[in-house]
Amino acid sequence: MSQDIYQPNPEFAKNATIKSMEEYHALVKKSNDDYEGFWADYANEKIDWFKPFDTVLDESNAPFVKWFDGGQLNVAHQCIDRHLDTRKNKAAIIFEGDRGDVQTITYLDLYKNVNRFANLLKEDFGVKKGDRVVIYMPMIPEATYAMLACSRIGAIHSIVFGGFSSEALKDRIADAEAKVVITADGAYRKTKPYMLKPVVDAALEGESPVKKVLVVERNHEEVTWVAGRDYSYNELIKSKSTHCKAEPMDSEDPLFLLYTSGSTGKPKGVQHNTAGYILWAQMTMEWVFDVKENDTYWCTADVGWITGHTYIVYGPLAMGATTVMFEGVITHPDAGRPWAMVENHRINQFYTAPTAIRVLHKMGEEEPSKYDLSSLKVLGTVGEPIDPPAWKWYYEEVGNSNCAIVDTYWQTETGGHVVSPLPGATPIKPACATLPLPGIMAEILDPETGEKVGEGESGYMCITRPWPAQIRGVWGDEERYKKSYFGDVQKDGKAVYFTGDGAIYGADGYITITGRTDDVINVSGHRMGTAEVEAAIKKHNNVAEVAVVGKPHELKGEGIFAYIVLKSDEGIADEIAEVKAINTIIKKEIGNIALCDDMIFVSGLPKTRSGKIMRRILRAIAKDEPITQDISTLEDPSIVAKIESMVQCKMC
Ligand code: PRX
């Protein structure tokens, strides 16, 4: 085996859930031989069913599928109630605030808090099964209570990341037709208060389906209260009962929506349903992080993204683990903050994004050595390809060359991990997601033929059979669901799920993800549709045309690079003012996360004679790569040289 392969720690493997590649291959074989039996066994073993399911997988209306039909369960019951006999006094959540304040919430506390919250939503806000509730919250325990309270009563939550602007929030509220928003006055970042409620106020201006807003008071800064619409959580919760019935939910009742970017149009409301999602969230927690009864696990994501849903809240709580929740910024007060937290809370599994690893590496290369990190057993990464230098630092300096790194590949749509090492079994390779998890039929296919590609070859990362945590639909748009995920690749004449990512096979079937094949940019592990950013920039009244592409960025992975054609012929009177004005619009329309790293004002864009913008050329110019395409057929071939010289001039 090549030197680049790291074997699992044998001591760790002894007690791991999956202990060897033999066990891994046996599970893969089991799922290949009897796919439905494989899943039925796990569903029976892991879920506390209110009513057993009748069928395992119903593909009769594919790509709309049903898992565990006829069964009934409740996700809040699965995550809380069923643990009360054995884990009542165990910490469910350890919360660390930005300013270092710590709160431990036991499973019994969680039960009471979630039930009170659920009663509040039902009694004071009239929330019923199937209603959509938007959650726009900072990283505080009440965000978790809100999610589980919705699950308990059968309401469908849609969390909007707190960094999104009022316009982005407004669009998501409108698309989901939410009747309630749960928010907070704000929270703390780098010890200073910041605000969320004013963003909600702006999002609700004009027509809105939202009738009630619940405000958790966290930083106690002054906010505007609209009489009859806005209510204080801290006041209303006082009188609520700590008992609330867990609504029996059908396996395929929707659990939540989470909006994510695609290559075209507005963000899509990815829908996840009850049974399949919670089963896979729990199983992957057990397999991939190998969390044991007395372990403390920390995922640094935000609940506004799928990682926060599955691996801060639902996965850890479904398995009865202790999950750490952090309000602050990991580089504050310095880049030793996460390592101080690992030492203080004796954290055993640490899960973060490559962008965070790069920043922590750059800002505090020596920081890990100042802390006792000996509790760590498993390190995880997610969200984007990780570069080998960052991987090595993580492995050697944070993990003391002793911990497995699980490079977990998945997406909002997959609900949970799909390709990942198993820490006690899989030999790992820097920056390689390794192998499909048992039960997940992930294959790299040739998009033309639908054939599996060979070793050393690249193709499209596909999943050829439905899996329980699969996206169930795009909210309110059946056609978009079919077209976005099942329109590109066919295997044996059947449409298969295409992730949108390219990948390459190495030896032994190891999978390395090479990145998106579509017009989606991955900025700091966050998906950004170029179409969304372009639509925002076009709102500036002096912008005639715009094309946005991704460009490699040292810390963010990819940065946003915009080519802009202005309307005024005179050229740019004041470039700094134009950039500022455009950035203000982007902030208003999407949020700071979509700000452009580079804006180049050009006199035209490279287009085919039929008017299609040639993004491949623009991507090559932004990356300073040679243009391999024939440009002679462009509408105006001379534009390419002009753009190149403008970019070179700007960058020099
Ligand atoms: O391009 C892949 C990348 O992140 C995309 C999914 O983004 P999102 O739905 O926001 O979910 C992020 C957290 C799961 C994928 O299509 N991606 C995710 N994990 C990896 C990755 N790229 C490379 N390696 C990974 N481990």
Side-chain angles (χ1 to χ4, degrees):
M1 254 191 195
S2 117
Q3 287 175 328
D4 242 10
I5 302 266
Y6 298 72
Q7 296 297 333
N9 175 335
E11 276 308 302
F12 176 87
K14 266 192 219 158
N15 295 317
T17 312
I18 299 174
K19 297 178 176 49
S20 64
M21 285 311 278
E22 288 70 43
E23 280 190 28
Y24 165 80
H25 287 301
L27 285 171
V28 169
K29 182 170 183 318
K30 193 173 164 199
S31 70
N32 285 337
D33 292 349
D34 177 12
Y35 193 61
E36 292 196 13
F38 172 89
W39 286 112
D41 286 352
Y42 279 111
N44 282 321
E45 180 192 325
K46 303 286 175 191
I47 291 183
D48 196 4
W49 294 97
F50 292 179
K51 179 173 170 282
F53 52 90
D54 303 320
T55 54
V56 182
L57 170 61
D58 177 354
E59 292 184 80
S60 56
N61 191 25
F64 298 92
V65 294
K66 288 184 186 167
W67 280 94
F68 312 120
D69 206 24
Q72 286 195 322
L73 71 162
N74 181 283
V75 163
H77 171 92
Q78 179 76 10
C79 290
I80 311 170
D81 306 29
R82 75 185 190 101
H83 303 308
L84 291 182
D85 282 347
T86 52
R87 303 187 174 109
K88 191 169 62 181
N89 296 318
K90 174 174 175 173
I93 302 172
I94 297 177
F95 168 72
E96 179 160 324
D98 170 75
R99 296 159 307 158
D101 44 316
V102 173
Q103 218 183 313
T104 300
I105 298 126
T106 64
Y107 272 92
L108 183 61
D109 296 333
L110 186 64
Y111 174 82
K112 291 180 182 171
N113 290 330
V114 167
N115 284 349
R116 284 198 194 100
F117 210 127
N119 282 327
L120 187 163
L121 292 178
K122 276 206 301 203
E123 292 164 16
D124 296 337
F125 282 18
V127 176
K128 295 184 302 298
K129 181 174 171 178
D131 286 344
R132 271 81 59 209
V133 172
V134 161
I135 300 177
Y136 187 68
M137 290 279 270
M139 284 289 291
I140 54 176
E142 288 79 3
T144 306
Y145 308 158
M147 293 165 79
L148 289 162
C150 288
S151 315
R152 192 161 193 93
I153 61 176
I156 305 167
H157 62 68
S158 169
I159 307 190
V160 179
F161 171 60
F164 278 120
S165 68
S166 57
E167 284 301 313
L169 178 60
K170 192 186 192 76
D171 288 348
R172 286 157 176 77
I173 288 171
D175 193 79
E177 293 174 283
K179 63 192 257 191
V180 165
V181 173
I182 303 170
T183 188
D185 44 11
Y188 296 96
R189 185 181 293 137
K190 299 187 178 177
T191 61
K192 293 196 185 64
Y194 74 93
M195 303 306 289
L196 288 176
K197 173 68 166 52
V199 184
V200 175
D201 292 335
L204 300 186
E205 270 169 23
E207 281 287 298
S208 176
V210 170
K211 300 294 166 251
K212 305 257 191 232
V213 176
L214 187 66
V215 185
V216 177
E217 293 169 70
R218 164 72 181 151
N219 64 20
H220 305 280
E221 294 290 305
E222 202 169 315
V223 293
T224 309
W225 292 91
V226 175
R229 188 196 74 182
D230 300 346
Y231 296 85
S232 161
Y233 163 84
N234 307 50
E235 283 306 313
L236 292 185
I237 205 75
K238 287 181 191 158
S239 61
K240 296 294 169 284
S241 158
T242 55
H243 295 283
C244 173
K245 181 178 162 239
E247 189 70 33
M249 302 296 288
D250 291 339
S251 291
E252 287 294 343
D253 276 335
L255 178 64
F256 66 81
L257 306 180
L258 184 55
Y259 283 81
T260 191
S261 299
S263 35
T264 53
K266 57 181 186 142
K268 302 174 272 209
V270 170
Q271 180 184 328
H272 280 291
N273 290 359
T274 302
Y277 171 81
I278 199 65
L279 174 65
W280 192 229
Q282 185 176 327
M283 284 174 66
T284 47
M285 270 310 292
E286 293 171 359
W287 283 354
V288 174
F289 296 119
D290 215 280
V291 177
K292 300 290 185 228
E293 189 59 38
N294 293 320
D295 283 353
T296 300
Y297 155 93
W298 179 24
C299 165
T300 68
D302 189 286
V303 288
W305 307 111
I306 191 69
T307 309
H309 284 62
T310 309
Y311 297 114
I312 295 180
V313 178
Y314 287 120
L317 297 176
M319 72 166 293
T322 299
T323 179
V324 173
M325 195 173 183
F326 177 50
E327 178 189 33
V329 175
I330 51 166
T331 50
H332 183 79
D334 55 45
R337 179 74 182 262
W339 320 131
M341 283 181 63
V342 168
E343 177 177 300
N344 292 339
H345 300 293
R346 305 298 299 151
I347 284 163
N348 306 103
Q349 295 86 9
F350 177 73
Y351 190 32
T352 195
T355 187
I357 299 167
R358 286 192 291 268
V359 170
L360 291 167
H361 181 195
K362 185 157 186 208
M363 289 178 64
E365 194 168 354
E366 305 300 328
E367 288 295 327
S369 64
K370 299 181 189 163
Y371 298 89
D372 176 4
L373 305 183
S374 59
S375 56
L376 288 172
K377 297 190 280 190
V378 178
L379 300 173
T381 92
V382 56
E384 53 178 315
I386 178 168
D387 39 300
W391 193 98
K392 287 227 154 140
W393 178 77
Y394 198 33
Y395 185 78
E396 288 166 7
E397 304 305 322
V398 179
N400 196 23
S401 302
N402 218 5
C403 303
I405 293 191
V406 287
D407 181 345
T408 62
Y409 167 73
W410 60 298
Q411 338 174 269
T412 305
E413 292 86 343
T414 65
H417 307 145
V418 287
V419 179
S420 172
L422 296 164
T426 318
I428 50 173
K429 231 182 112 188
C432 177
T434 72
L435 296 166
L437 290 172
I440 301 292
M441 304 300 173
E443 288 182 326
I444 309 175
L445 301 181
D446 178 325
E448 301 299 323
T449 62
E451 299 283 330
K452 191 170 168 175
V453 304
E455 186 179 326
E457 288 175 0
S458 56
Y460 280 18
M461 190 72 245
C462 297
I463 306 179
T464 57
R465 288 210 70 175
W467 66 103
Q470 169 182 323
I471 174 178
R472 290 300 195 277
V474 171
W475 187 251
D477 199 340
E478 290 194 350
E479 276 312 304
R480 199 166 174 205
Y481 166 72
K482 288 198 243 176
K483 201 161 166 263
S484 305
Y485 303 107
F486 299 91
D488 291 297
V489 188
Q490 297 232 333
K491 185 180 172 166
D492 303 328
K494 215 176 98 195
V496 295
Y497 177 88
F498 171 44
T499 59
D501 287 302
I504 182 162
Y505 274 128
D508 294 331
Y510 271 35
I511 293 170
T512 297
I513 304 295
T514 49
R516 304 285 309 188
T517 61
D518 53 11
D519 288 325
V520 170
I521 310 178
N522 196 329
V523 185
S524 302
H526 301 145
R527 255 158 85 170
M528 197 59 62
T530 50
E532 273 169 81
V533 184
E534 287 168 4
I537 295 176
K538 275 189 200 144
K539 295 220 162 153
H540 184 298
N541 44 28
N542 197 21
V543 169
E545 280 187 300
V546 54
V548 163
V549 296
K551 177 186 170 180
H553 186 284
E554 195 195 347
L555 296 177
K556 297 185 195 175
E558 267 190 300
I560 303 177
F561 194 109
Y563 296 90
I564 299 170
V565 183
L566 293 176
K567 282 181 189 159
S568 50
D569 305 334
E570 302 88 53
I572 314 149
D574 181 349
E575 188 169 327
I576 295 175
E578 293 288 10
V579 168
K580 255 192 171 169
I582 293 172
N583 273 335
T584 307
I585 295 177
I586 296 175
K587 272 193 214 175
K588 179 168 171 285
E589 294 295 317
I590 307 175
N592 285 344
I593 50 171
L595 288 179
C596 296
D597 297 276
D598 296 286
M599 275 186 216
I600 303 280
F601 296 99
V602 291
S603 53
L605 296 172
K607 287 186 195 161
T608 58
R609 293 205 179 108
S610 60
K612 187 169 173 271
I613 297 172
M614 297 307 292
R615 280 165 204 282
R616 262 220 322 235
I617 296 178
L618 294 173
R619 271 196 287 266
I621 299 175
K623 291 181 188 168
D624 199 18
E625 284 173 356
I627 295 166
T628 50
Q629 257 171 301
D630 174 16
I631 59 168
S632 64
T633 54
L634 294 182
E635 186 190 39
D636 173 10
S638 72
I639 201 74
V640 175
K642 283 187 205 153
I643 297 175
E644 276 180 312
S645 75
M646 295 201 70
V647 171
Q648 275 154 14
C649 179
K650 169 106 188 196
M651 298 299 163
C652 60

